[in-house]
Amino acid sequence: MSKPKRTGLPHIVKRMLCFCGGVAVNSVGIALITKSNLGTSPISSVPWVITLHWPAVSFGMTTFVMNAVFILVQAILLRRDFHAVQLLQIVVNVVFSALLDVSMAALWFFNPETWWLRGLGLLLGCTILAFGICMEVSPGLVTVPGEGIVRAIAVVTKVRFGTVKVCFDVSLIILSTIMSFLFFGRLNGVGVGTVVAAVITGQIVNFFNRHIRFVGAIERGEGAV
């Protein structure tokens, strides 16, 4: 008697769907954090401050330009070790930047005035962002620009990835803070929410990795979509 055929999508398709879904979810998370008006995530702090100073340039566009710089720096640092597949980061950058503008537009109604509502939006945004990061990382496909530049610096300097990540995020916060004072004479676009996002998002990612089954299943190629 023949064995029943296994149904479900091929593993590579599952991985691609998971990755693309993660990119989309990330855009919603960052948009919600930003719209909470307590400061955006560290990786988005510089483009957001620029957008606040030049409103004619969208958040997605400034994010695209910054990520393009990240990809270029990776290629310069890694040289021969920058493999052609990593050029797919350009495609990811285009899609993510466009989705970020869509998410910001979709949340047009969310302009919280009270601190508790801002805090709630911030925490929900960090949770959504953490879930998107899990979806994006678990398939092991393309490195996103923000992570790619950290990995490149870690490879060149021989410093641990986690240490470089912390230093990189802190550097972005410092740069965006300086730009904020230069542009506005005060903090604008950077705030307590930026620090909170930097501290808790990684912890929520760890929680999801431990307790959500599909993350491990995608990594191991188990289960069906």
Side-chain angles (χ1 to χ4, degrees), residues 11 14-15 18 130-140 204-222:
H11 180 47
K14 298 177 193 176
R15 291 166 65 194
C18 187
F131 187 70
I133 290 172
C134 290
M135 293 179 65
E136 186 180 82
V137 172
S138 59
I204 302 174
V205 168
N206 291 337
F207 175 84
F208 284 150
N209 281 334
R210 289 194 300 267
H211 298 286
I212 297 182
R213 293 181 59 188
F214 93 87
V215 173
I218 288 292
E219 290 175 339
R220 296 186 299 271
E222 298 174 355

Side-chain angles (χ1 to χ4, degrees), residues 3-224:
K3 295 182 180 179
K5 293 183 179 179
R6 295 182 63 183
T7 59
L9 296 173
H11 180 47
I12 185 62
V13 177
K14 298 177 193 176
R15 291 166 65 194
M16 292 175 63
L17 289 174
C18 187
F19 178 82
C20 293
V23 171
V25 171
N26 279 350
S27 71
V28 175
I30 290 178
L32 186 55
I33 293 171
T34 305
K35 293 287 289 183
S36 296
N37 200 27
L38 288 173
T40 189
S41 64
I43 194 69
S44 299
S45 58
V46 171
W48 180 235
V49 170
I50 295 173
T51 294
L52 290 175
H53 185 58
W54 287 294
V57 184
S58 73
F59 191 18
M61 180 57 69
T62 54
T63 298
F64 173 83
V65 172
M66 186 184 74
N67 283 335
V69 172
F70 287 169
I71 297 169
L72 177 61
V73 172
Q74 288 176 59
I76 293 171
L77 291 177
L78 296 177
R79 299 182 183 181
R80 294 180 181 178
D81 291 328
F82 184 80
H83 303 297
V85 68
Q86 290 305 329
L87 291 175
L88 289 174
Q89 290 183 57
I90 298 173
V91 178
V92 175
N93 188 21
V94 172
V95 173
F96 174 75
S97 301
L99 288 175
L100 183 56
D101 277 344
V102 170
S103 296
M104 290 291 288
L107 290 170
W108 62 269
F109 60 90
F110 187 66
N111 294 292
E113 298 292 338
T114 60
W115 280 98
W116 73 267
L117 191 55
R118 290 180 180 180
L120 183 63
L122 172 65
L123 293 177
L124 180 59
C126 289
T127 302
I128 293 172
L129 176 60
F131 187 70
I133 290 172
C134 290
M135 293 179 65
E136 186 180 82
V137 172
S138 59
L141 294 175
V142 182
T143 303
V144 295
E147 181 183 346
I149 189 171
V150 174
R151 290 189 182 278
I153 295 171
V155 168
V156 172
T157 61
K158 311 299 182 185
V159 177
R160 292 178 59 182
F161 177 87
T163 302
V164 176
K165 174 63 175 173
V166 171
C167 294
F168 186 72
D169 285 349
V170 170
S171 298
L172 290 177
I173 294 174
I174 292 173
L175 177 58
S176 58
T177 299
I178 293 172
M179 293 171 61
S180 179
F181 277 104
L182 288 175
F183 291 157
F184 310 105
R186 59 183 175 84
L187 280 178
N188 189 14
V190 186
V192 63
T194 306
V195 178
V196 171
V199 171
I200 72 170
T201 302
Q203 300 303 316
I204 302 174
V205 168
N206 291 337
F207 175 84
F208 284 150
N209 281 334
R210 289 194 300 267
H211 298 286
I212 297 182
R213 293 181 59 188
F214 93 87
V215 173
I218 288 292
E219 290 175 339
R220 296 186 299 271
E222 298 174 355

